Amino acid sequence: MSSGPGAASAPAPDHHDSPPALDAPASARPTRKSSMFSSLMVRNYRLFFMGQVVSNIGTWMQRIAQDWLVLSLTGSSAAVGITTALQFLPMLLFGLYGGVLVDRLRKRPTLLVTQTSMALTAIALAVLTLTGQVQVWHVYVAAFAVGLATVVDNPARQSFVSELVGPGQLQNAVSLNSANFQSARLVGPAVAGLLITGVGTGYAFLFNGLSFIAPLTGLLLMRARELHVVERAPRGKGQLRAGVRYVTGRPELIWPIVLVGFVGTFAFNFPVYLSAFADDVFHAGAGAYSMFNTLMAVGSVAGALLAARRGTARLRLLIAAALVFGALEIVAATTPTLWMFALLMIPLGLFGMTVNVTTNTSIQMSTDPAMRGRVMALYMMVFLGGSPVGAPIVGWITDTYGARVGLAAGGAVAALAAAVIGLILARVGNLRLSVGWHRGHPRVRFVPRERPEALAPAA
């Protein structure tokens, strides 16, 4: 249960006076190492989590059915790309404005509206498909409508988690949300495939529309008095600029967002990389592509569950995970056999999810609650918008120089960005690199620099 009715979220400390250190937790207060599912003890979060289990499966089903429907209507892969672009375009255009709205509005009523609108969109598409009236422009309109709802829904859902569990359980709850979504990634596409081949794409859309009943019911059953009260931003001018200034003035916010931008744009374009390896490198076809994605999803679930056990989100963990993730991509690019490449998908999924969860949690814990909607909107805009922007670039590199060069280049960008940003954060936090031995093993870490007065002899 909640620690108490109406417990307020603690405001973030003034990071201008005390720069963040790589060894310091992103949380303003120390937290104990929790059990893997500790946040599920909170009734409101448990309702939210259970609703998302059903809804996420429906979301993955619609993704598969939508692409298949467009391909069957047009026979064009470009049309599938247009559909994806239309779904991401609203976030790129209006994402920051969505964050401003989220900071002004109460989260639970906002989510009731956005989730209902997405349910109605899916049901409308199901009716059109099942009656044989669907045309490709209907799918385009539906994709754009879902994208518009996502502009508000994404930052609202991300910031609502802190109201459900409070700062002490935020890391655990964010991690379980990621595990929830990745687990649905294992189930949703498989169920969608059975429905599409058995009864048609329309029923996949219908299932997704009906799946929103679960999160809507959960939201309605929540006890408002057990939510952790967060002060809403008043209506006023210049709130968008204020949000951008807030992020750019705080190294502990701007640099993790920059890092996830580089990683998401160049290293997370797995549809491009994995399909090229399956067809052009190993000549194994769609079966191998499906296996690669499944193994990566397994690693992602493991990474999210491991993150749920950690009590803090440290910036040094983010930098280390991004470095290892980039290095693993370079190693995977050189593997000679299909099975070695496939097995590397598990640690790639694990460290990729560690980057995502640690960035999400550290940003939320370092942000003033009144600014959280705008900050999370900027983070989601960079994270979700990176792949569509980077896909043509990495696709051109892959087509021109081969899949191995493309994947290695993406990994090199991620590792280089992590190294540079790690050094920047170390400099801001007045840290230095320490290389030594600990219990017979090499140890590399950042430690505080000695202050000049500490080195001077005592008077």
Side-chain angles (χ1 to χ4, degrees):
M1 300 299 291
S2 173
S3 56
S9 297
D14 187 351
H15 295 283
H16 291 297
D17 296 334
S18 181
L22 290 179
D23 279 338
S27 169
R29 64 179 68 176
T31 55
R32 294 177 293 127
K33 186 175 181 179
S34 58
S35 66
M36 188 174 290
F37 303 102
S38 58
S39 55
L40 290 176
M41 295 176 64
V42 181
R43 179 182 181 275
N44 283 345
Y45 178 73
R46 189 163 61 247
L47 289 169
F48 178 82
F49 183 88
M50 292 169 62
Q52 292 300 308
V53 168
V54 180
S55 182
N56 283 336
I57 292 174
T59 297
W60 278 106
M61 290 175 65
Q62 174 138 338
R63 286 188 181 187
I64 300 300
Q66 177 178 275
D67 291 348
W68 186 261
L69 177 61
V70 171
L71 193 60
S72 63
L73 288 173
T74 65
S76 169
S77 297
V80 177
I82 291 172
T83 308
T84 302
L86 286 171
Q87 195 158 326
F88 282 104
L89 185 62
M91 179 62 74
L92 292 174
L93 295 177
F94 312 117
L96 291 177
Y97 294 98
V100 171
L101 285 175
V102 167
D103 281 335
R104 292 176 181 173
L105 302 172
R106 289 188 297 160
K107 307 299 186 297
R108 187 161 64 140
T110 300
L111 287 172
L112 285 169
V113 172
T114 57
Q115 298 276 295
T116 300
S117 66
M118 288 191 282
L120 294 175
T121 302
I123 291 173
L125 198 54
V127 171
L128 288 169
T129 306
L130 291 172
T131 58
Q133 303 299 315
V134 70
Q135 299 178 37
V136 69
W137 71 267
H138 293 144
V139 186
Y140 288 165
V141 171
F144 190 75
V146 170
L148 284 174
T150 301
V151 166
V152 176
D153 186 79
N154 264 347
R157 276 191 297 109
Q158 296 288 332
S159 55
F160 187 51
V161 173
S162 65
E163 295 188 25
L164 292 171
V165 299
Q169 292 284 358
L170 183 59
Q171 158 99 7
N172 183 264
V174 169
S175 302
L176 289 181
N177 282 352
S178 299
N180 187 334
F181 187 74
Q182 293 300 325
S183 298
R185 180 182 173 185
L186 295 173
V187 177
V191 177
L194 292 174
L195 282 178
I196 291 170
T197 56
V199 291
T201 55
Y203 286 96
F205 297 134
L206 182 61
F207 181 96
N208 183 44
L210 296 177
S211 73
F212 283 96
I213 294 174
L216 290 171
T217 302
L219 289 167
L220 292 171
L221 290 176
M222 288 178 184
R223 296 170 181 164
R225 66 181 182 277
E226 294 180 6
L227 294 174
H228 294 250
V229 178
V230 172
E231 181 181 357
R232 285 181 286 154
R235 184 183 297 272
K237 294 183 178 180
Q239 291 181 320
L240 182 59
R241 291 191 299 272
V244 174
R245 285 197 302 269
Y246 180 86
V247 172
T248 55
R250 286 164 169 74
E252 73 278 11
L253 295 179
I254 186 63
W255 289 115
I257 290 176
V258 170
L259 175 57
V260 85
F262 276 104
V263 174
T265 301
F266 297 102
F268 260 84
N269 273 287
F270 288 108
V272 176
Y273 296 137
L274 299 188
S275 60
F277 267 84
D279 285 341
D280 301 333
V281 177
F282 299 120
H283 309 289
Y289 178 64
S290 176
M291 178 179 66
F292 296 157
N293 279 283
T294 299
L295 290 173
M296 182 167 288
V298 170
S300 297
V301 172
L305 292 176
L306 287 174
R309 287 186 61 84
R310 289 190 291 269
T312 57
R314 298 178 182 273
L315 292 178
R316 67 173 181 178
L317 174 63
L318 170 61
I319 299 300
L323 274 169
V324 174
F325 178 74
L328 281 171
E329 285 201 340
I330 296 173
V331 172
T334 64
T335 52
T337 66
L338 183 148
W339 289 108
M340 289 178 63
F341 183 84
L343 289 175
L344 281 171
M345 293 301 102
I346 297 176
L348 269 172
L350 190 152
F351 282 99
M353 182 54 60
T354 301
V355 171
N356 292 346
V357 171
T358 306
T359 305
N360 188 317
T361 310
S362 65
I363 288 173
Q364 291 210 49
M365 295 299 291
S366 299
T367 302
D368 190 312
M371 283 283 186
R372 193 167 283 147
R374 278 164 281 183
V375 174
M376 293 309 296
L378 178 60
Y379 163 70
M380 295 303 296
M381 186 174 71
V382 171
F383 181 65
L384 293 178
S387 290
V389 171
I393 301 173
V394 301
W396 176 81
I397 295 174
T398 301
D399 287 341
T400 305
Y401 300 103
R404 294 189 184 278
V405 174
L407 182 59
V413 169
L416 180 62
V420 171
I421 291 172
L423 292 174
I424 291 172
L425 286 172
R427 185 177 181 85
V428 170
N430 196 31
L431 302 175
R432 64 177 179 84
L433 186 67
S434 172
V435 181
W437 291 83
H438 180 69
R439 295 180 179 178
H441 299 285
R443 181 168 67 172
V444 180
R445 58 179 180 152
F446 286 96
V447 298
R449 294 180 184 274
E450 293 86 354
R451 295 182 178 178
E453 59 267 23
L455 298 177

